Amino acid sequence: GAGTYSNNMTAAALSYYQIQSAVTLLETITSDEGFVRGLPSRLNLVVGPYNRHRAYELIKSKGKPDTNENTPNSLDDFDIKIIVNPYLGSTFKGWALMDPNRHRCMFYNHTSPQLDKEGDFETNQGKKFSVYMRCKVAFSSGHGFVYNEGA
């Protein structure tokens, strides 16, 4: 039978141990039928510009980050693609780890683009244009998506 799951982590700064926890959470989220599907070797880490450099330090280091020990980076076992989304803003600290094979991003267009134009009221010359539209982006399944709002 199916069970419940949570893919929202406790808010914490992007760190080596938080990414490890997210990987573990992705590995243990069950399917709708209640089966553990395991984890592929390819993942996407989505961050905003605020976490760009930290993400590269954590993922691309051969050794375990933030330690003087000669311990290997266990995240090196995975092919983690870092995606920096500039639309998240320069102060947004949240991040997400995704299994690209287990979720699908959907785009919904609620209101088709509506174009409008009018004369320039400041100079009474030329035209000013405006566009109005409403859209939504959502996931068809949360099984391959782990979110952390950052700290």
Side-chain angles (χ1 to χ4, degrees):
T4 60
Y5 69 93
S6 173
N7 58 354
N8 193 15
M9 299 177 65
T10 302
L14 181 63
S15 72
Y16 180 73
Y17 296 108
Q18 287 298 312
I19 295 174
Q20 280 184 324
S21 295
V23 168
T24 301
L25 184 55
L26 277 177
E27 286 180 308
T28 57
I29 291 176
T30 58
S31 68
D32 288 331
E33 296 80 23
F35 300 111
V36 176
R37 294 184 49 188
L39 188 66
S41 60
R42 190 170 68 101
L43 298 168
N44 294 333
L45 176 63
V46 179
V47 298
Y50 180 87
N51 277 324
R52 169 195 303 274
H53 301 292
R54 184 66 178 148
Y56 278 94
E57 290 173 356
L58 297 170
I59 302 304
K60 301 300 182 186
S61 296
K62 290 298 176 194
K64 184 176 175 182
D66 304 327
T67 182
N68 292 330
E69 300 171 8
N70 192 16
T71 310
N73 185 345
S74 68
L75 299 174
D76 200 34
D77 288 345
F78 301 97
D79 177 18
I80 300 178
K81 178 181 179 183
I82 299 168
I83 300 171
V84 180
N85 185 335
Y87 298 106
L88 295 177
S90 61
T91 59
F92 179 74
K93 298 179 183 178
W95 54 274
L97 189 67
M98 296 182 276
D99 172 353
N101 298 319
R102 289 180 66 186
H103 76 85
R104 198 168 79 226
C105 190
M106 308 292 285
F107 179 81
Y108 301 99
N109 196 2
H110 287 286
T111 304
S112 296
Q114 299 170 357
L115 301 172
D116 192 18
K117 63 181 179 179
E118 62 183 45
D120 185 353
F121 58 88
E122 295 163 352
T123 63
N124 204 17
Q125 297 176 3
K127 298 287 182 187
K128 288 191 175 183
F129 296 90
S130 67
V131 178
Y132 172 80
M133 65 182 287
R134 284 186 59 213
C135 58
K136 176 174 79 171
V137 176
F139 291 100
S140 63
S141 171
H143 290 99
F145 181 86
V146 173
Y147 176 72
N148 190 311
E149 67 185 46

